[in-house]
Amino acid sequence: EAKIRQKMIENNLVEAIIVFPIKMFYTTDISVTLWILNKNKKAHTFDAGNLVRHYRDREQEVLFMDLRQIGEPFEKKFIQFSEQQIQDIAKTYHNWQQGIDYEDVPEYCYSANKEEIASKDYSLVPSKYIEFVNRDENIDFDEKMAGLQSDFTELLREEESSKQELLKVFQELGYAIKL
């Protein structure tokens, strides 16, 4: 398997690896990975009348995209992309192909060169390349605990107030509750 991936990278066949959200497809709950293969990653111009694209040479690169945090609920238990999300994803991909306003975005996309891929034993798992933000490392524990302490204090006060009101209602009805 590793040798197959290596040959595909060395032969410039892998254009992009895209990870989709879980529950996007009816037949599986797992996250699906799409491999886009392209035999023509050289610089060229595509002209289809009203659509002209000037592709840059991408033979030394592979685009990795992680779309698992994108999507919206569909039929209660599935995920789908909105029209705007589809346009944004396509724009990222086409901008990367053309070298127009593309930049790597943490937790979304990364353009890896062949040397990086080789250094990771030709792994094509996007999470090995796309930067992920550790949201836990910069948490001020004392500040967070003080906030939780305040929230719980208020909840316990409200609980006590509700308890007293409930005991009062039962007493007024002649069915006092003794604790």
Side-chain angles (χ1 to χ4, degrees):
E1 191 175 302
K3 288 183 181 190
I4 294 170
R5 290 191 311 267
Q6 180 177 351
K7 284 294 183 195
M8 291 176 76
I9 295 298
E10 288 173 350
N11 291 326
N12 303 315
L13 296 175
V14 181
E15 171 106 319
I17 304 289
I18 304 171
V19 178
F20 287 93
I22 61 171
K23 298 183 181 180
M24 180 159 253
F25 300 95
Y26 290 115
T27 56
T28 183
D29 281 355
I30 64 170
S31 181
V32 172
T33 302
L34 173 69
W35 290 32
I36 298 177
L37 306 177
N38 186 351
K39 288 184 176 182
N40 186 9
K41 293 171 60 174
K42 295 183 186 304
H44 66 281
T45 298
F46 174 80
D47 187 350
N50 61 346
L51 176 65
V52 177
R53 289 203 174 123
H54 303 284
Y55 295 106
R56 66 184 179 83
D57 184 354
R58 306 168 316 282
E59 288 192 317
Q60 300 300 311
E61 300 173 56
V62 173
L63 177 65
F64 291 92
M65 295 181 77
D66 187 335
L67 309 179
R68 291 178 295 176
Q69 302 303 315
I70 299 173
E72 54 190 32
F74 173 68
E75 293 182 358
K76 295 183 183 177
K77 62 180 183 174
F78 296 106
I79 298 292
Q80 69 179 2
F81 294 137
S82 69
E83 287 300 320
Q84 184 60 53
Q85 290 167 333
I86 292 169
Q87 289 174 13
D88 293 344
I89 294 163
K91 181 179 179 183
T92 299
Y93 178 66
H94 291 299
N95 285 355
W96 174 79
Q97 287 180 312
Q98 297 173 75
I100 303 170
D101 295 330
Y102 170 81
E103 63 182 61
D104 296 329
V105 177
E107 300 183 342
Y108 177 57
C109 62
Y110 183 78
S111 182
N113 61 44
K114 284 172 124 176
E115 289 77 28
E116 287 177 273
I117 297 169
S119 73
K120 296 181 190 293
D121 294 323
Y122 295 94
S123 172
L124 295 177
V125 176
S127 61
K128 291 195 177 208
Y129 302 95
I130 297 173
E131 177 186 348
F132 287 90
V133 179
N134 184 348
R135 290 173 176 74
D136 294 333
E137 72 182 15
N138 295 324
I139 291 176
D140 182 335
F141 183 77
D142 291 333
E143 180 182 324
K144 196 68 154 171
M145 288 305 291
L148 286 171
Q149 181 183 32
S150 174
D151 292 346
F152 276 104
T153 300
E154 183 60 31
L155 282 171
L156 292 171
R157 282 186 184 135
E158 289 174 10
E159 178 191 30
E160 185 60 33
S161 175
S162 295
K163 178 177 151 185
Q164 294 305 320
E165 287 178 31
L166 184 62
L167 290 172
K168 182 179 174 185
V169 167
F170 271 87
Q171 184 174 0
E172 289 174 357
L173 291 171
Y175 296 95
I177 297 175
K178 305 285 186 207
L179 298 179

